[in-house]
Amino acid sequence: AVSRAERRNGFSFSEEQRAAIDDLLQPDALRVLTGKAGTGKTTVLRPVVEAYEEAGYIPVGTAFQGKVSELLAHDLEIPSYTLDQFRTYWSRYDALQAHMPTLKGQALVVAQKELKRLAAYQLTNRHVVILDEGNMVGGNLWQGLLSRVQEAGAHLRVVQDNNQIKALYGADISRLVEDKVGFFELNEVHRQKEP
């Protein structure tokens, strides 16, 4: 995946970027990549996504903001949703499942159809969730994401820049996550070196 990305992009990954790719591909449930703008965080995600896909995993993106989620989908060519979208899909799915035993007739048919549609947004142990701009995520969204990832046995890859804006309310959860599980930091700026 690294070789393909290098041929496609016409450049070689730095030693630091290769180490970041290796770190994100570790089998741990949760890995964190941090780095300031221009260090190549999105660039290193491309071969990571390809490697996971080749291994039979299903990468999916998420972010606090819709625009960031759209960019993630575009840049990595994976489905991506905001954390609020995921939370809505998950809560609807859970509510429908809870009510299924009480439904009959047409209501049951409609509920089964909706459950089937919402199943596409449920995580499994074959999913790798890529959370971009994790530093902007507030506590309640972190809690929902972490519990869903854990329940499913999925993998979570958090990408963030601690120099950017933090979550609007509450504690700096992304910093707590870093302190708890560790992180790989990209330091060398590449983007601004280009003319």
Side-chain angles (χ1 to χ4, degrees):
V2 168
S3 297
R4 276 196 309 274
E6 288 179 334
R7 282 193 305 273
R8 186 174 51 242
N9 297 325
F11 66 80
S12 294
F13 288 103
S14 70
E15 189 175 314
E16 182 183 61
Q17 289 173 323
R18 284 177 176 265
I21 292 166
D22 288 342
D23 188 75
L24 290 171
L25 291 172
Q26 294 302 308
D28 304 337
L30 176 58
R31 302 299 292 176
V32 178
L33 174 66
T34 188
K36 56 188 169 192
T39 55
K41 296 183 299 292
T42 302
T43 302
V44 302
L45 286 175
R46 290 182 189 118
V48 167
V49 164
E50 287 182 27
Y52 275 120
E53 288 173 337
E54 286 177 21
Y57 286 89
I58 307 161
V60 61
T62 190
F64 175 70
Q65 294 180 316
K67 191 62 178 171
V68 175
S69 177
E70 287 173 20
L71 288 171
L72 201 57
H74 177 267
D75 290 344
L76 301 181
E77 298 177 358
I78 59 173
S80 187
Y81 312 95
T82 65
L83 287 164
D84 276 330
Q85 285 174 312
F86 262 142
R87 186 167 58 172
T88 299
Y89 296 145
W90 295 337
S91 107
R92 282 186 194 162
Y93 186 85
D94 292 347
L96 272 174
Q97 278 205 314
H99 286 92
M100 288 299 280
T102 65
L103 300 176
K104 292 183 169 84
Q106 187 61 29
L108 178 60
V109 171
V110 170
Q112 287 171 331
K113 191 182 260 187
E114 181 65 358
L115 262 181
K116 187 175 180 181
R117 184 186 77 80
L118 292 171
Y121 306 103
Q122 304 310 304
L123 301 178
T124 69
N125 63 357
R126 301 307 296 168
H127 279 89
V128 177
V129 180
I130 298 171
L131 169 62
D132 200 4
E133 295 194 358
N135 48 286
M136 295 185 70
V137 179
N140 60 336
L141 290 173
W142 264 110
Q143 183 180 353
L145 177 63
L146 289 173
S147 65
R148 208 66 180 206
V149 164
Q150 185 177 14
E151 286 169 19
H155 297 275
L156 178 61
R157 300 299 176 254
V158 180
V159 181
Q160 58 193 20
D161 176 354
N162 285 320
N163 295 315
Q164 289 183 334
I165 192 169
K166 304 289 184 217
L168 201 52
Y169 302 106
D172 186 355
I173 303 297
S174 65
R175 183 71 72 174
L176 295 173
V177 170
E178 278 187 4
D179 290 345
K180 184 74 174 169
V181 301
F183 60 93
F184 188 95
E185 185 172 11
L186 287 171
N187 292 298
E188 188 181 352
V189 175
H190 296 274
R191 185 188 311 147
Q192 285 79 0
K193 289 180 181 176
E194 297 173 10

Short mmCIF file of all heavy atoms in Angstrom, two decimals, residues 45 87 94 103 115 130 166:
data_model
loop_
_atom_site.label_atom_id
_atom_site.label_comp_id
_atom_site.label_asym_id
_atom_site.label_seq_id
_atom_site.Cartn_x
_atom_site.Cartn_y
_atom_site.Cartn_z
N LEU A 45 -2.74 8.40 6.05
CA LEU A 45 -3.97 7.60 6.19
C LEU A 45 -4.31 6.84 4.92
O LEU A 45 -4.93 5.77 4.99
CB LEU A 45 -5.14 8.49 6.58
CG LEU A 45 -5.16 9.00 8.02
CD1 LEU A 45 -6.31 9.96 8.24
CD2 LEU A 45 -5.24 7.84 9.01
N ARG A 87 -24.52 8.78 15.86
CA ARG A 87 -25.29 8.67 17.10
C ARG A 87 -26.79 8.51 16.80
O ARG A 87 -27.47 7.71 17.43
CB ARG A 87 -25.04 9.90 17.98
CG ARG A 87 -25.68 9.79 19.34
CD ARG A 87 -25.20 10.82 20.30
NE ARG A 87 -25.42 12.18 19.82
CZ ARG A 87 -25.20 13.24 20.56
NH1 ARG A 87 -24.76 13.12 21.80
NH2 ARG A 87 -25.42 14.45 20.09
N ASP A 94 -31.11 0.89 17.86
CA ASP A 94 -31.34 0.29 19.19
C ASP A 94 -32.81 0.37 19.59
O ASP A 94 -33.36 -0.59 20.13
CB ASP A 94 -30.47 0.99 20.24
CG ASP A 94 -28.98 0.72 20.04
OD1 ASP A 94 -28.62 -0.19 19.27
OD2 ASP A 94 -28.17 1.46 20.65
N LEU A 103 -44.13 -5.51 17.79
CA LEU A 103 -44.73 -5.10 16.51
C LEU A 103 -45.35 -6.27 15.76
O LEU A 103 -44.87 -7.40 15.84
CB LEU A 103 -43.67 -4.42 15.64
CG LEU A 103 -43.01 -3.17 16.22
CD1 LEU A 103 -41.91 -2.67 15.30
CD2 LEU A 103 -44.05 -2.08 16.45
N LEU A 115 -34.74 -1.32 9.96
CA LEU A 115 -33.61 -1.97 10.63
C LEU A 115 -32.55 -2.40 9.61
O LEU A 115 -31.35 -2.25 9.85
CB LEU A 115 -34.09 -3.21 11.39
CG LEU A 115 -34.34 -3.06 12.88
CD1 LEU A 115 -34.78 -4.38 13.48
CD2 LEU A 115 -33.15 -2.51 13.61
N ILE A 130 -12.03 5.78 11.58
CA ILE A 130 -11.01 6.83 11.57
C ILE A 130 -11.69 8.13 11.99
O ILE A 130 -12.52 8.67 11.26
CB ILE A 130 -10.37 6.97 10.18
CG1 ILE A 130 -9.66 5.66 9.82
CG2 ILE A 130 -9.39 8.15 10.15
CD1 ILE A 130 -9.18 5.58 8.40
N LYS A 166 -10.12 23.29 20.46
CA LYS A 166 -10.55 22.17 21.30
C LYS A 166 -12.07 22.08 21.31
O LYS A 166 -12.77 22.94 20.81
CB LYS A 166 -10.05 22.37 22.74
CG LYS A 166 -8.56 22.53 22.85
CD LYS A 166 -7.85 21.24 22.56
CE LYS A 166 -6.37 21.40 22.78
NZ LYS A 166 -5.57 20.69 21.85
#
